[in-house]
Amino acid sequence: MQSSFTIFQGSHAKPYVITWITSPGTLIIVATIIGGLFQGISFGKSLQILWHTTKQMTKTMVTVASIVGLSKVMGYSGMVNNIALSLVMVTGSFYPFIAPIIGALGTFITGSDTSANVLFGELQVKAATSLDVNPYWLAAANMAGATAGKMISPQSIAVATGATGLVGEEGTILKQAMKFCAIYTLIICLVIFGLGKVFGQI
């Protein structure tokens, strides 16, 4: 059981396909309900929890959907390709060193590692193609950098302050986290660039 949507009809266009039954989200929900039954939670109670969780995550779902939509628009319009080519022209063979920084920026903007990879993953692959280096290496660099950006993501900090009763201290926490984020990002950049050279990936 699947649904297919035509979003773009230009060159290299592909329909967007949703496979409902085998989708990870569907399987997780089914597994959760079955697990709940084994633990004595009724089917109705599980649905109630699902409904409350859905309401709680509404803003997050809208954000993720918006980011995915933005990434598609950027890809179809050629923006990703232009940005990648511009970065490669400016940085040249040094680009793999800054690739993790782009991933970190993506998480800082979106608040999500996954969204950062959706937003800038194609950019990294395009840049790799332009430089004739391993695209998997730069895609991995984006993922590694995205973990660093999580430290300074405003969304993550807001969740942390809310959970610890430090609402209003977001600026102070961000200032402190910036130092660790910078050090961590630099280490990732050095590792990605250094090992890439050693193993002939870049």
Side-chain angles (χ1 to χ4, degrees):
M1 180 180 177
Q2 64 181 28
S3 301
S4 178
F5 305 93
T6 301
I7 301 175
F8 178 66
Q9 297 180 336
S11 60
H12 307 295
K14 294 181 180 179
Y16 190 78
V17 179
I18 300 177
T19 307
W20 297 101
I21 301 299
T22 58
S23 169
T26 302
L27 296 176
I28 289 172
I29 292 173
V30 172
T32 301
I33 293 175
I34 294 174
L37 292 174
F38 276 108
Q39 298 178 57
I41 300 175
S42 66
F43 180 73
K45 182 64 175 178
S46 294
L47 291 181
Q48 184 181 3
I49 294 172
L50 174 61
W51 172 246
H52 285 303
T53 303
T54 302
K55 289 196 298 183
Q56 181 182 345
M57 300 298 291
T58 299
K59 292 182 179 179
T60 301
M61 290 188 289
V62 171
T63 300
V64 172
S66 299
I67 291 297
V68 172
L70 175 62
S71 68
K72 291 295 183 182
V73 170
M74 291 177 67
Y76 290 143
S77 66
M79 291 172 62
V80 171
N81 189 50
N82 289 336
I83 293 172
L85 291 176
S86 298
L87 287 172
V88 170
M89 287 177 61
V90 172
T91 59
S93 59
F94 192 67
Y95 175 82
F97 182 82
I98 69 167
I101 298 176
I102 294 174
L105 178 62
T107 307
F108 174 76
I109 295 171
T110 65
S112 165
D113 291 25
T114 302
S115 297
N117 291 325
V118 170
L119 186 60
F120 290 132
E122 186 180 355
L123 184 149
Q124 301 284 15
V125 173
K126 293 282 188 181
T129 302
S130 299
L131 289 170
D132 195 26
V133 301
N134 189 337
Y136 296 106
W137 194 262
L138 291 193
N142 192 82
M143 295 176 66
T147 63
K150 193 70 173 176
M151 295 185 198
I152 56 174
S153 166
Q155 295 182 38
S156 298
I157 293 175
V159 171
T161 55
T164 57
L166 295 174
V167 176
E169 297 295 326
E170 289 84 359
T172 302
I173 294 174
L174 176 60
K175 183 178 179 180
Q176 294 297 320
M178 281 292 293
K179 296 182 291 186
F180 297 101
C181 179
I183 294 172
Y184 180 48
T185 304
L186 178 60
I187 292 173
I188 292 175
C189 291
L190 291 172
V191 169
I192 291 292
F193 192 76
L195 292 182
K197 289 293 186 182
V198 170
F199 293 110
Q201 301 299 312
I202 59 176

